[in-house]
């Protein structure tokens, strides 16, 4: 619709929008995160929901204890290998459309505990991540920024065409394989369909 | 104040017949020395520490394992010897092999008499099959989880522990990761910031043809 | 009820009536795995519970979901390199963790922090204790069903203290502030006044909380007589900290060891009689009052001067071979570090004695016979942080 016409109409009290805009507007302003914390970063996540930072301003204060009711998984903290299968399982139990924020250095790459034998080197080895927040721990403001980033992303989604979001693509997977406990390590160590080692480290 | 460790050792020798206990010195300026108790005497010594009216060590604060792998110490020795009828100084390298063992260290305090710590330690026979030590859980309940942790991470088996399972790693995990010779999974070279040793590790692995787990 | 205006129609088919069956339940036990993702297990803690109806008959904690290999990493890095990792053990109390580790290495290397550093340590440690207890109480009430409000109040106070930490150390949570032989930086100007203001304002919050909560009937009903921990069991199971003192055992390492300069402050050690959840809650409330008293005199008496032992070396620090065990009274209990040096730059053995883990030894004993809902608050009253439980 022509912007001038839209402005003209709104001056007369007539509000127009597209179905896409309305749909995305509704989704982005009521993101229900999963009430789920892993480590130190989770404390900053809780702090972000409290009075001073007030996550409620973004419509995301309704933390749900059950994955079946949640839209967003904030992976806040170190994912250990013992925990990783549970994290993937929780993600699988969430209904589409669903998003993931990897909060903190640990969730991104293992962070300070990267050399640990029981530490997963980044949750994106098993599930797709939408927003990464660096920091150890990221400040609550950083989490708010991540929320705004996620909202912008949702807002920009086209509902048709090849770049439409995953939940509108019939054949796209909404569940991801859960790794098993092996004798020395998780098997497999990554989900090759969604993650490959960075090219630089491959020696390319 | 607790009696000195020397006095305690001699008192133990007189009260507990044929007990094998010795003093282990500690060179740190602030740290007290400790006692070494032979595993077969462990329970007897523990009961004594707990019930002796002068000690009353009713509180097992800390229990932990230490791994001492096999060590080869090389020593250069100079000696005078007759070589072809002439006395010469020759240098030889002597190798001494110290077989490895696992050690468990206990820190005891007394809540009743407010003194401590008394530190005692026990060694396993070796690091392979003879990794048995008596469990202290029947004496101090506080040993329960800590012994499970030592079992998990070091592989020490505590006889007569009520529930000896892995504490931290999953049940089907096979290694004892806190041992010094544990080889960790080769899964973090792929970091975008790979550098120094990590890069060296990747190169080594690539040249040996072994593929990483990731 | 009067039957006059209630005329039931006679059923068309007299045989078509509700039939009452007797229950044929065989009284099966139910096994539930609570966690590792559960809203009230304070992190990734898991309990395998066996239930008879609502009652807990067996409870086995399962650990390791946050096992981050702290000890292994510490044995592969320098002494100083582990200092930031200690922050992440009990991530509510980074400053006391720093202190315990610094204290141990100081014993190992024979260092003595100067006066001013000791005062700063006491001040930051007591603020840490305040902040930890406040949050704990918030979470405990949250577990009890007082959703939101107490936790909001608690975090409001916590933010005030975190602001102090931030202006002193540069970080809200992960302070990495203490060094072997002293502290990293001196207090910024005006910090003491700011701290005094927080200390002065705090009693108002405690009173408000007291009026709101401590006499509350629901709180009393939910906590009194629940999760009793007998004195003998507490001692034998190596329980420490407020949990031990709530069972009536007078053992506070600040008094027993007098580490740092704790012998200069007069403070009392609150004790409980019953060893139930209520006592554990009240012991912490009273401890906060005592912490405030310590803070007041420390903030008043802190002398000027250096903050590092001149003998201390930060780079290429290699203590002589030997071993040391240092312990402090952290907010959770006895936090100890055991370090063996072989004379190299890395510790040969590095061990953390985690109070949270060891206090959980008695969780089953306290929970059996109570309902699941009580098990949740009993767990809450122990005060665990998973970073320290699993390390
Ligand atoms: S990124 Fe840092 S603060 Fe966050 S979980 Fe990891 S160690 Fe803790």
């Amino acid at each position: 619709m022509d912007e001038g016409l839209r402005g003209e109409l709104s001056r007369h009290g007539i509000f127009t929008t597209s179905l896409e805009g309305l749909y995305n507007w509704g989704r982005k302003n009521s993101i229900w995160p999963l009430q789920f914390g892993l480590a130190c970063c989770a404390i900053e996540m809780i702090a972000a929901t409290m009075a001073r930072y007030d996550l409620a301003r973004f419509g995301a204060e309704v933390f749900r204890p059950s994955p079946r009711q949640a839209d967003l998984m904030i992976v806040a903290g170190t994912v250990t290998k013992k925990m990783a299968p549970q994290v993937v399982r929780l993600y699988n139990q969430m209904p589409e459309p669903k998003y993931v924020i990897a909060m903190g250095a640990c969730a991104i790459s293992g962070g300070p505990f990267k050399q640990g034998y029981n530490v997963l080197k980044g949750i994106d080895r098993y599930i797709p991540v939408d927003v990464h927040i660096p920091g150890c721990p990221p400040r609550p403001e950083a989490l708010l920024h991540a929320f705004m980033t996620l909202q912008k992303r949702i807002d920009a989604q086209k509902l048709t065409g090849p770049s439409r979001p995953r939940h509108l693509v019939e054949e796209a997977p909404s569940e991801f394989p859960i790794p098993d406990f092996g004798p020395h390590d998780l098997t497999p160590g990554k989900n090759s369909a969604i993650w490959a080692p960075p090219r630089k480290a491959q020696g390319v | 104040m607790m009696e000195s460790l020397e006095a305690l050792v001699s008192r133990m020798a007189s009260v507990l017949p044929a007990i094998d206990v010795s003093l282990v010195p500690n060179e740190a300026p602030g740290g007290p020395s400790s006692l070494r108790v032979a595993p077969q005497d462990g329970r007897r010594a523990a009961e004594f520490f707990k019930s002796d009216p002068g000690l009353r060590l009713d509180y097992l604060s800390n229990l932990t394992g230490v791994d001492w792998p096999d060590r080869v110490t090389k020593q250069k020795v100079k000696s005078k010897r007759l070589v072809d009828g002439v006395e010469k100084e020759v240098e030889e390298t002597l190798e001494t092999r110290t077989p490895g063992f696992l050690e468990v260290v206990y820190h005891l305090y007394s809540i009743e008499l407010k003194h401590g710590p008394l530190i005692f330690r026990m060694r396993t026979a070796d690091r392979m099959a003879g990794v048995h030590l008596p469990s202290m859980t029947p004496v101090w309940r506080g040993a329960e989880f800590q012994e499970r942790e030592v079992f998990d991470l070091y592989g020490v088996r505590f006889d007569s522990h009520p529930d000896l399972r892995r504490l931290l790693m999953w049940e089907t995990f096979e290694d004892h990761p806190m041992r010094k010779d544990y080889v960790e999974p080769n899964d973090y070279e792929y970091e975008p910031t790979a550098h120094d040793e990590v890069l060296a590790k990747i190169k080594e692995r690539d040249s040996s043809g072994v593929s990483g787990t990731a | 009820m009067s039957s006059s205006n209630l005329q039931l129609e006679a059923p068309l088919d007299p045989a078509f009536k509700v039939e009452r069956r007797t229950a044929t339940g065989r009284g099966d036990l139910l096994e539930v795995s609570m966690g590792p993702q559960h809203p009230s297990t304070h992190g990734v803690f898991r309990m395998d519970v066996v239930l008879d109806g609502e009652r807990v008959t067996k409870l086995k904690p399962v650990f390791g979901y946050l096992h981050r290999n702290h000890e292994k990493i510490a044995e592969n890095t320098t002494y100083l390199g582990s200092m930031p990792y200690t922050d992440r053990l009990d991530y509510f109390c980074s400053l006391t963790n720093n202190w315990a580790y610094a204290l141990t290495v100081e014993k190992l290397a024979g260092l003595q922090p100067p006066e001013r550093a000791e005062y700063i340590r006491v001040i930051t440690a007591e603020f840490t204790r305040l902040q930890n207890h406040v949050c704990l109480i918030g979470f405990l009430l949250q577990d009890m069903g007082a959703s939101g409000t107490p936790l909001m109040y608690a975090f409001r106070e916590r933010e005030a203290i975190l602001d102090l930490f931030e202006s002193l150390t540069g970080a809200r949570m992960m302070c990495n502030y203490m060094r072997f032989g002293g502290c990293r930086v001196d207090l910024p100007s005006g910090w003491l006044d700011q701290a005094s203001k927080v200390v002065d304002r705090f009693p108002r919050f405690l009173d408000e909380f007291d009026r709101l909560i401590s006499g509350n009937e629901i709180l009393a009903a939910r906590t009194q007589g629940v999760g009793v921990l007998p004195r003998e069991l507490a001692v034998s199971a190596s329980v420490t900290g407020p949990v031990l003192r709530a069972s009536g055992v007078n053992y506070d390492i600040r008094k027993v060891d007098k580490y740092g300069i704790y012998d200069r402050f007069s403070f009392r050690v609150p004790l409980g009689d019953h060893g139930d959840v209520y006592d554990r809650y009240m012991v912490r409330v009273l401890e906060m009052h005592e912490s405030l008293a310590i803070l007041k005199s420390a903030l008043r008496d802190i002398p000027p001067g250096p903050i590092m032992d001149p003998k201390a070396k930060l780079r290429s620090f290699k203590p002589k071979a030997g071993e040391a065990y240092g312990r402090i009274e952290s907010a959770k209990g006895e936090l100890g570090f055991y370090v063996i040096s072989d004379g190299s730059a890395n510790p040969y053995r590095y061990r953390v004695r985690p109070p949270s883990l060891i206090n959980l030894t008695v969780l089953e004993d306290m929970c059996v016979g109570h309902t699941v809902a009580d098990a949740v608050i009993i767990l809450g009253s122990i005060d665990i942080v998973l970073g320290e439980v699993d390390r």
Side-chain angles (χ1 to χ4, degrees):
Chain A
M1 189 182 205
D2 177 51
E3 277 305 314
L5 179 58
R6 188 199 294 259
E8 181 63 34
L9 281 174
S10 79
R11 257 197 296 286
H12 292 93
I14 300 171
F15 176 66
T16 57
T17 183
S18 63
L19 194 57
E20 184 177 277
L22 188 65
Y23 179 73
N24 286 344
W25 174 82
R27 283 197 300 147
K28 81 169 194 211
N29 286 313
S30 74
I31 300 171
W32 287 9
L34 178 61
Q35 184 182 353
F36 161 71
L38 292 169
C40 349
C41 281
I43 308 302
E44 285 297 59
M45 179 177 83
I46 296 171
T49 65
M50 293 293 157
R52 183 185 281 192
Y53 299 99
D54 196 10
L55 194 57
R57 291 175 293 159
F58 302 89
E61 81 280 20
V62 194
F63 275 74
R64 306 309 298 180
S66 162
R68 310 264 181 211
Q69 305 163 352
D71 310 312
L72 167 70
M73 176 188 247
I74 305 176
V75 185
T78 320
V79 187
T80 60
K81 288 179 181 167
K82 192 164 175 176
M83 190 63 196
Q86 324 288 340
V87 177
V88 180
R89 190 167 290 131
L90 284 168
Y91 180 75
N92 287 349
Q93 288 172 352
M94 285 164 54
E96 288 279 8
K98 53 188 170 187
Y99 308 94
V100 176
I101 292 180
M103 178 176 185
C106 284
I108 296 176
S109 70
F113 297 95
K114 191 171 91 172
Q115 289 149 22
Y117 48 86
N118 189 30
V119 175
L120 185 71
K121 281 83 192 172
I123 188 60
D124 50 2
R125 291 188 180 206
Y126 291 116
I127 56 177
V129 175
D130 296 278
V131 183
H132 295 82
I133 324 174
C136 180
R139 297 179 58 96
E141 291 94 328
L143 183 60
L144 299 184
H145 182 241
F147 261 99
M148 283 147 65
T149 312
L150 184 65
Q151 288 186 329
K152 272 193 208 120
R153 276 188 74 149
I154 295 176
D155 214 19
Q157 277 178 340
K158 292 262 163 288
L159 299 187
T160 48
S163 63
R164 65 195 190 278
R166 193 180 66 216
H167 67 280
L168 296 176
V169 184
E170 203 103 316
E171 59 276 10
S174 102
E175 297 203 349
F176 290 83
I178 297 169
D180 277 330
F181 293 131
H184 309 287
D185 198 0
L186 287 179
T187 49
K190 64 169 193 237
N191 178 353
S192 315
I194 59 167
W195 189 82
R199 291 178 60 203
K200 187 168 156 232
Q202 283 174 323
V204 179
Chain B
M1 275 306 285
M2 231 165 50
E3 63 202 298
S4 73
L5 284 183
E6 288 82 2
L8 181 62
V9 169
S10 59
R11 195 156 70 86
M12 282 173 80
S14 66
V15 182
L16 306 168
I19 192 154
D20 183 358
V21 52
S22 55
L23 196 84
V24 186
N26 174 15
E27 270 118 62
S33 303
S34 55
L35 298 178
R36 171 150 55 250
V37 180
Q40 71 273 11
D41 295 329
R43 277 293 284 282
R44 259 200 313 159
E47 304 277 0
F48 171 77
F49 293 144
K50 191 174 176 185
S51 57
D52 181 76
L55 295 175
R56 283 256 178 249
L57 297 162
D58 47 6
Y59 166 42
L60 170 70
S61 156
N62 181 42
L63 183 165
T64 188
V66 189
D67 181 19
W68 301 97
D70 298 355
R71 258 181 316 144
V72 182
T73 32
K74 284 194 184 144
Q75 219 181 358
K76 289 224 162 105
V77 192
K78 282 188 184 158
S79 59
K80 300 231 158 113
R81 235 193 262 165
L82 279 179
V83 181
D84 303 330
V86 193
E87 192 173 298
K88 265 193 189 162
E89 205 172 20
V90 266
E91 208 178 69
E92 281 179 306
T93 327
L94 284 186
E95 275 194 10
T96 24
R97 244 199 139 69
T98 330
F101 54 88
L102 300 170
E103 188 174 42
V104 177
V105 186
Y106 305 78
H107 287 76
L108 304 174
Y109 286 85
S110 169
I111 288 186
E112 196 181 316
L113 303 178
K114 303 237 167 17
H115 62 209
L118 178 87
I119 307 162
F120 77 98
R121 36 185 79 220
M122 289 194 285
R123 287 179 176 183
T124 61
D126 55 38
R127 300 170 74 245
M128 314 294 291
V131 286
H132 289 263
L133 285 181
S135 167
M136 290 300 154
T137 311
V139 187
W140 297 282
R141 260 293 291 288
E144 187 180 338
F145 287 168
Q146 306 192 59
E147 281 180 347
R148 277 180 64 188
E149 183 184 324
V150 174
F151 165 67
D152 185 353
L153 303 182
Y154 285 93
V156 179
R157 303 196 150 265
F158 292 94
D159 300 328
S160 75
H161 186 285
D163 180 23
L164 196 63
R165 288 177 293 134
R166 282 187 179 271
L167 183 82
L168 298 171
M169 302 303 287
W170 53 88
E171 292 282 310
T172 50
F173 193 72
E174 283 175 4
D175 310 324
H176 300 295
M178 280 301 287
R179 288 200 185 186
K180 293 280 175 191
D181 51 4
Y182 168 71
V183 184
E184 65 213 30
N186 197 352
D187 62 350
Y188 63 88
E189 312 78 8
Y190 292 128
E191 292 307 321
T193 50
H195 59 280
D196 306 348
E197 327 96 270
V198 178
L199 272 180
K201 234 175 162 182
I202 303 177
K203 279 210 189 93
E204 190 186 324
R205 198 201 54 215
D206 286 353
S207 60
S208 68
V210 189
S211 67
T213 50
Chain C
M1 195 198 282
S2 72
S3 58
S4 57
N5 51 5
L6 190 70
Q7 291 284 326
L8 286 180
E9 253 175 72
L12 293 177
D13 177 2
F16 192 57
K17 272 201 285 191
V18 171
E19 172 200 351
R20 180 147 302 192
R21 298 190 202 165
T22 45
T24 58
R26 285 155 299 162
D28 284 346
L29 297 180
L30 187 66
E31 276 184 46
V32 185
S33 163
M34 277 178 81
Q37 196 269 327
H38 188 279
S40 56
T41 51
H42 296 228
V44 284
F45 179 64
R46 174 173 153 207
M47 318 185 250
D48 280 346
V49 209
V50 179
L51 298 175
D52 180 3
E54 275 276 296
R55 308 247 152 228
V56 177
T57 61
K58 208 170 138 200
L59 185 151
K60 291 278 170 227
V62 183
F63 304 98
Y65 291 98
L66 195 53
H67 178 44
R68 299 190 280 195
N69 327 124
H70 175 53
E71 292 180 5
K72 187 82 182 178
I73 292 173
E75 284 172 19
N76 292 326
T77 183
T78 56
Y79 282 87
L80 186 59
S82 307
M83 188 59 89
Y85 286 93
T86 62
D87 290 339
R88 288 154 181 82
L89 280 170
D90 167 0
Y91 31 77
F92 275 103
C93 307
S94 59
L95 285 157
T96 41
N97 300 345
N98 286 177
W99 191 1
Y101 180 46
L103 187 80
T104 310
V105 178
E106 280 156 13
K107 274 189 180 178
L108 189 66
L111 297 171
Q112 176 62 46
E115 282 269 302
R116 185 173 173 83
E118 294 278 27
Y119 269 93
I120 298 179
R121 286 180 177 191
V122 168
I123 292 169
T124 50
E126 292 307 320
F127 270 126
T128 303
R129 195 180 316 278
L130 277 182
Q131 176 265 117
N132 178 77
H133 284 0
V134 155
C135 289
L136 167 90
I137 289 175
F139 281 118
L140 180 62
L141 289 162
Q142 172 106 344
D143 290 345
M144 242 176 266
S147 236
T149 317
L151 198 59
M152 290 262 182
Y153 281 22
F155 267 72
R156 184 189 65 200
E157 299 309 310
R158 179 176 185 256
E159 291 290 343
I161 295 174
L162 290 195
D163 284 348
L164 287 178
F165 290 169
E166 191 179 359
S167 67
L168 173 60
T169 71
R172 285 156 53 83
M173 282 173 73
M174 305 306 174
C175 298
N176 179 20
Y177 177 62
M178 290 179 200
R179 293 289 178 263
F180 315 130
C183 298
R184 178 158 55 91
V185 285
D186 205 347
L187 302 176
S189 67
W191 195 87
L192 288 172
D193 297 331
Q194 205 190 339
S196 301
K197 260 190 220 131
V198 174
V199 171
D200 290 339
R201 228 186 30 214
F202 211 83
R204 234 181 50 207
F205 160 73
L206 282 181
D207 292 342
E208 180 187 25
F209 221 70
D210 209 55
R211 280 203 310 278
L212 257 170
I213 304 288
S214 300
N216 184 294
E217 195 179 332
I218 302 176
L219 179 94
R222 286 296 307 276
T223 56
Q224 292 181 353
V226 170
V228 174
L229 176 64
R231 196 191 147 98
E232 296 70 38
L233 179 62
V235 173
S236 130
S238 306
V239 169
T240 45
V243 184
L244 177 72
R245 292 190 286 276
S247 292
V249 183
N250 185 356
Y251 197 74
D252 185 321
I253 297 168
R254 288 175 294 174
K255 290 275 189 199
V256 177
D257 281 10
K258 302 194 174 57
Y259 60 91
I261 48 165
Y262 270 114
D263 47 352
R264 297 192 196 172
F265 303 102
S266 73
F267 61 99
R268 294 171 305 163
V269 179
L271 297 179
D273 271 337
H274 305 90
D276 54 6
V277 176
Y278 186 80
D279 279 6
R280 291 197 273 278
Y281 161 78
M282 279 314 283
V283 160
R284 291 186 173 105
V285 172
L286 296 176
E287 269 188 14
M288 285 198 269
H289 286 285
E290 297 305 311
S291 289
L292 286 173
I294 298 176
L295 277 171
K296 271 221 180 85
S297 50
L299 288 171
R300 188 190 57 221
D301 297 343
I302 180 168
I307 54 161
M308 275 300 268
D309 183 343
K311 283 210 304 294
K313 247 168 71 177
L314 284 186
R315 314 235 167 267
S316 57
F317 173 72
K318 287 183 189 168
K320 282 209 255 345
E323 62 175 44
Y325 180 69
R327 57 177 198 160
I328 66 162
E329 181 73 35
S330 87
K332 311 274 192 295
E334 173 182 332
L335 176 66
F337 281 80
Y338 175 57
V339 178
I340 300 181
S341 161
D342 59 354
S344 67
N346 300 355
Y348 183 78
R349 174 72 179 113
Y350 171 101
R351 146 91 174 164
V352 185
R353 186 241 185 238
S356 300
L357 170 71
I358 296 168
N359 287 358
L360 281 174
T361 313
V362 289
L363 180 64
E364 180 172 18
D365 304 68
M366 292 199 276
C367 288
V368 167
H370 289 296
T371 59
V372 193
D374 286 343
V376 166
I377 60 169
I378 293 170
L379 177 71
S381 74
I382 298 180
D383 189 8
I384 58 165
V385 162
L386 264 292
E388 185 179 84
V389 171
D390 291 340
R391 286 152 292 140

